[in-house]
Amino acid sequence: MSHSGPVLVFDSGVGGLSVVAHLRAAMPERALAYLCDNAALPYGTKEDTWLIERIVAVCCAGVRASRAGALVVACNTASTLALDALRAALPIPVVGTVPAIKPAAAMSRNGVIGLLATSATVRRRYTDRLIARFAAEQRVVRVAGDALVKQAEQVLAGSPPDAGVIEQALAPLFADAELDTVVLGCTHFPLLRPFFETLAPRPMQWIDSGAAIARRTATVAPQGSRISGVDISFATAPAEAGMIRALERYEFAAPQGLEALEQ
Ligand code: DGL
């Protein structure tokens, strides 16, 4: 397999585009490809055994179709579950996205941080280990914000979000008077950050992993340059107009199907 192909960025939906923004800024000349498993969105409420099999099948098909030289798993729900399986299945570097607990613990003044992620990510053993390792001295308030995934998809498709849904999802974080730092542990959530900031009752620090992923990718990814200003993308279900527009804004062509997966 060629190691000079594009960097393939994978998510269940358009959340991975929040990571793409950092990758484009850090490596504007590097060819990217985008892969979303929109047929199975959302991942956060699905069963682990099924998810591992699905993620490996979709990523292997995507790597074959794009001839990728590296894979960025731009999804916390997939990374906290399937990184080992993906690394065993693929002969290329695999970069994962996991909740930014370590920087958040360092940045919190009060020692109280929120973890806003999918229900799958907040209860994972991987997450328990991250917290035990990097935030043993802090109090971590875990909040499952699955309803926010659809809101982020909606915003990227060009419609305003439902402020009531966002407020309800963030209420446990806002209610804790000592909490001053929130880890955005789902790649969909940085896309909603302006709304989080507006609705927050007091200033808070919102931390995601995008910049760190871009730095890591730059060290492991191949040197494949972009041939044109538009990169390829793949989706597992037909893309709606809003998704096509969102991909266009991040310099991707309308998605192709993943035929290898359907065979
Ligand atoms: N964007 C994904 C993540 O980072 C998950 C969204 C979903 O539930 O599919 O966790």
Side-chain angles (χ1 to χ4, degrees):
M1 186 170 301
S2 158
H3 282 233
S4 61
V7 174
L8 180 64
V9 182
F10 163 70
D11 183 37
S12 53
V14 295
L17 294 175
S18 71
V19 176
V20 166
H22 289 275
L23 291 169
R24 292 276 191 221
M27 45 180 83
E29 302 303 324
R30 201 68 60 92
L32 305 182
Y34 195 78
L35 166 64
C36 74
D37 189 8
N38 53 337
L41 178 84
Y43 274 181
T45 50
K46 301 231 165 32
E47 199 267 320
D48 285 2
T49 316
W50 183 88
L51 265 183
I52 294 179
E53 223 173 278
R54 174 78 186 177
I55 290 163
V56 171
V58 171
C59 287
C60 286
V63 167
R64 269 197 306 274
S66 62
R67 299 170 182 275
L71 173 69
V72 173
V73 184
C75 174
N76 294 261
T77 308
S79 299
T80 52
L81 180 69
L83 275 182
D84 289 346
L86 284 169
R87 288 187 174 129
L90 289 165
I92 56 173
V94 177
V95 177
T97 306
V98 300
I101 299 288
K102 187 182 176 185
M107 286 172 80
S108 171
R109 288 194 183 164
N110 298 342
V112 183
I113 63 182
L115 169 60
L116 184 66
T118 64
S119 48
T121 299
V122 295
R123 67 174 150 71
R124 288 258 156 79
R125 271 203 306 262
Y126 194 109
T127 304
D128 294 343
R129 287 199 293 266
L130 275 181
I131 291 171
R133 186 161 171 214
F134 297 118
E137 308 294 314
Q138 284 77 16
R139 179 158 66 81
V140 180
V141 180
R142 305 187 198 203
V143 174
D146 296 294
L148 298 172
V149 173
K150 192 172 153 208
Q151 296 301 311
E153 293 275 329
Q154 201 170 303
V155 165
L156 269 212
S159 306
D162 182 331
V165 172
I166 296 181
E167 247 168 338
Q168 201 182 344
L170 300 191
L173 301 174
F174 294 163
D176 192 314
E178 289 179 321
L179 190 149
D180 59 7
T181 303
V182 181
V183 176
L184 300 176
C186 168
T187 53
H188 278 76
F189 299 169
L191 302 167
L192 295 171
R193 183 173 162 168
F195 304 99
F196 295 168
E197 284 171 343
T198 304
L199 293 166
R202 57 188 185 276
M204 291 178 163
Q205 308 187 85
W206 306 90
I207 300 182
D208 66 70
S209 313
I213 301 308
R215 280 195 301 274
R216 175 83 193 128
T217 305
T219 67
V220 305
Q223 299 297 320
S225 297
R226 299 179 80 184
I227 296 161
S228 79
V230 179
D231 286 325
I232 49 171
S233 77
F234 299 89
T236 54
E240 292 179 4
M243 179 192 266
I244 294 173
R245 279 198 302 274
L247 285 164
E248 257 170 25
R249 282 204 298 283
Y250 289 83
E251 300 168 29
F252 292 105
Q256 309 168 26
L258 259 193
E259 276 133 44
L261 188 69
E262 286 144 27
Q263 279 164 13

